[in-house]
Amino acid sequence: MAELKDRLSTFHGGLVLKHHKELSARNEVLRLERPDSLTISLRVNRGHVSEPVVAVGDHVNKYQIIAQPIHPFGVAVHAPYSGTIRAIEEHPTAAPDAESAPCIILDTDTEDTEINYLPPLGEINRPSLIKRIQEAGILGMGGAGFPSHVKYDHQTQAQDHLLIINGAECEPYITCDERLMLDEPEALIKGTHLLMQAADARRAVVAIEDNLGGVKSLLDSTIQALNLPQIQVVKVPTIYPTGGEKQLIKVLTGLEVPSGQTPLSLGIIMQNVATTKAVYDAVEHNRPLTERLVTVTGDLVGRPGNYLTPVGSPFYQLLAAADCPMSDVDKLVVGGPMMGYPMPNADIGVDKTTNCLLLLSKDSTKPDLSTLPCIRCGDCVKACPQDLLPQQLFWYIQGNDLEESRNHHVFDCIECGACSWVCPSHIDLVSYYRYAKSELTYLDYKKAKAQLAKQRHENREQRLEDIKAERQAKRRAKAEQLKDKSKAKKEISAVLDRIKNKQADGDKNE
Amino acid sequence: MNYLLALLGMLLLAGLFGILIVWVARKFKVEGNPVVEQINQVLPQTQCGQCGYPGCKPYAEAIAKGEAPINQCPPGGQDGIGKLAALLDVEELELNPDNGVEDEVDTIVEIVEADCIGCTKCIQVCPVDAIVGAAKHMHTIIGDECTGCDLCIPACPVDCIIQIPAPLPSRIHRQEKPRLMITIEEAQKWPS
């Protein structure tokens, strides 16, 4: 079982980055004004689309459920405000490459006469908490968007799990988690306690980075006030990407998550602080997950800070609130500078996983240097926190040898961008790994489909053959029968009789 | 005497090994030609018959016997030919245009259900049983199981079967391969 080490471990590689957090961390959280329309994406976890349960033209109440998951890895979607469904259509979303997905467009109004809170939970125990997490539509708000209830709804019975609350936001610029810990320590610690019950964990660790000034003492005093000594706050060194799930586990416990497995195989469950707060809200206030803190920052932003934003709010509204002139923006990035992805325009809705909007002017973005050949310097190997061989992977993918890149564990790449950052030839290595992963997934799908077709074709051939054999057997039996002359005569007369009878019947009927 | 002993020993050993070989050959006998199965794994299993054989497996058998060249499978495309060439250690050929051309996008078919007269002709030709329906009742295609072989299209007397792009599950997002690195010549001029 996973144990917390007295002395912290380190992971391989990583980077020390300038963190730029001071821009937004010290400003008070502002609530975003109600947007006139929300574009709420129905796709989560980079794949599974939830099914809308409302129709165009319907009026919905605040917190009413508007989409139900059809896949176990989907999540429910709720309306952040009351309003009317204007459309259900494909729309670009805050996913990588602004990929289009089915979205519900909601015209909001202020008729909050009725609010559909979740039903009161009653007794708090493991099954009821897991059910609540599921019905509140909660997913990992740190970025990956993995549906949270799945982590707790595991088959491994009542083991002594270790719960890790991930407050280590290692990406530069992003401060929404830090701000949440500063503003709502009680909600966070209480939420942690709830998650411990959901996870059957006897111990919990809140991991924060050592550059967050007063957070540790604040959380420690909250823990003391609530008398929950089984929760511990640990400072981890600020090395990018400490906040990655696998890296943080390595730092805290010295253990490595095996390739292709989840932390659960080590008896560890990890949850982001924002998710923990969402669970607390769902249990204490019966509120589904419909809003989140979004950091709006960058050198162009007049009022950088954290904004309490309803899910689906268009980016342009956040930009207006943060006093950022859209015309000067060179890059609008969702997420941080390392793992974030640029957006083509600001008419895209905030997702449950959107933690930051980073707005950069031409001066502050890296000039678009042309890519030079790989010189096999090995800097990327030194930087890779997953202990992979980035340059080797690059060569395989470059040469279209995707299978070999799979053998070299391209699927273990967490796309942190450390290799691209250090590459002296400016090769955007991560884009190669993303490509390889997507293409391999596609090829696997094709292969599975071909296997199915092969199976079905063989089954069909077998069936046709069986039918043919059956017919032949029948014919042969008949022929055998007719060899006997008297029997044959009998048979013929029987057939003739039958025909006669039939004709007689037909005449009668007429 | 020694000569005889040695000869006897050798004969004995030869006999023993002979028995061993026969036993191993019986015990680990491989049914059919394993190369056929390997070739069949590379073929796309559309069962479309464009190669001139009634299905992927007969084509695989023909290739294994050396009766058919490896360039007769349009759905497998040039990629598939490359894989076959690597597997069989033969020269990679261009796809034979007589067998058809490689589709740009994967397609499956769909029945325009309003026009279907329920003749069951398409059901009879579908190599993977991906069409459901009964006589004088509307038919429909099971999209997940359709291979896009298009054999049902000519079979339909009312032309109500159309090609559509093959849908992908929402978890799959194909990405373009990143731009190739610049050439050495370009690099030598850099950063001018």
Side-chain angles (χ1 to χ4, degrees), chain A residues 47 99 370-371 373 397-398 400 432 434 438-439 442 446 449-451 453-454 456-457 460 463, chain B residues 37 40-41 45 47 106 124 126-129 144-147 170 173-175 177 179 181-182 190:
Chain A
E99 187 133 13
S370 36
T371 309
I397 298 164
Q398 172 86 351
N400 283 328
Y432 282 86
R434 282 187 183 158
S438 75
E439 199 63 13
Y442 171 71
K446 287 259 282 194
K449 219 181 149 180
Q451 274 307 318
K454 182 166 169 253
R456 290 182 70 83
H457 183 62
R460 180 187 143 92
R463 195 187 69 227
Chain B
E37 198 36 53
N40 203 19
Q41 286 295 342
Q45 303 301 325
Q47 319 294 353
D106 289 343
Q124 289 160 36
C126 178
V128 291
D129 286 333
D144 284 346
E145 280 158 16
C146 175
T147 63
S170 65
H173 313 289
R174 284 188 80 183
Q175 288 178 6
K177 188 171 173 179
R179 202 177 61 88
M181 66 173 86
I182 59 169
W190 192 81

Side-chain angles (χ1 to χ4, degrees), chain A residues 359-498:
Chain A
L359 299 134
L360 297 171
S361 65
K362 196 119 208 157
D363 304 333
S364 62
T365 50
K366 197 168 79 172
D368 231 349
L369 297 171
S370 36
T371 309
L372 295 171
C374 170
I375 53 169
R376 293 264 194 194
C377 65
D379 279 1
C380 48
V381 181
K382 284 180 213 148
C384 180
Q386 283 289 81
D387 235 339
L388 302 173
L389 296 172
Q391 33 103 333
Q392 200 57 29
L393 285 172
F394 166 72
W395 281 103
Y396 286 132
I397 298 164
Q398 172 86 351
N400 283 328
D401 198 350
L402 294 179
E403 275 311 319
E404 206 50 44
S405 77
R406 190 208 304 270
N407 296 339
H408 282 69
H409 306 287
V410 71
F411 278 101
D412 283 337
C413 167
I414 57 169
E415 300 176 19
C416 68
C419 51
S420 310
W421 179 264
V422 297
C423 180
S425 291
H426 328 294
I427 303 170
D428 186 8
L429 291 160
V430 173
S431 66
Y432 282 86
Y433 311 142
R434 282 187 183 158
Y435 159 74
K437 287 189 207 176
S438 75
E439 199 63 13
L440 279 169
T441 316
Y442 171 71
L443 292 175
D444 285 349
Y445 162 75
K446 287 259 282 194
K447 216 178 201 170
K449 219 181 149 180
Q451 274 307 318
L452 178 76
K454 182 166 169 253
Q455 191 58 47
R456 290 182 70 83
H457 183 62
E458 279 166 10
N459 289 352
R460 180 187 143 92
E461 297 279 283
Q462 188 61 45
R463 195 187 69 227
L464 293 181
E465 217 150 86
D466 287 350
I467 291 174
K468 211 168 149 193
E470 209 175 299
R471 264 196 209 136
Q472 262 171 5
K474 250 187 191 166
R475 205 176 299 148
R476 217 171 294 132
K478 204 95 211 184
E480 202 66 39
Q481 244 178 24
L482 298 183
K483 267 188 189 153
D484 191 344
K485 279 270 161 67
S486 65
K487 261 192 190 164
K489 257 182 194 159
K490 239 189 221 166
E491 190 81 10
I492 290 167
S493 64
V495 171
L496 285 174
D497 278 353
R498 209 159 55 223

Side-chain angles (χ1 to χ4, degrees), chain A residues 195-240:
Chain A
L195 285 179
M196 284 174 72
Q197 293 168 50
D200 254 331
R202 259 176 258 158
R203 299 147 305 148
V205 186
V206 182
I208 60 169
E209 284 186 309
D210 57 8
N211 63 358
L212 304 186
V215 175
K216 184 170 185 331
S217 55
L218 185 64
L219 290 179
D220 277 338
S221 61
T222 315
I223 289 170
Q224 213 149 42
L226 293 168
N227 193 22
L228 293 168
Q230 59 273 52
I231 303 175
Q232 194 183 342
V233 183
V234 174
K235 276 190 173 183
V236 296
T238 310
I239 298 170
Y240 181 81

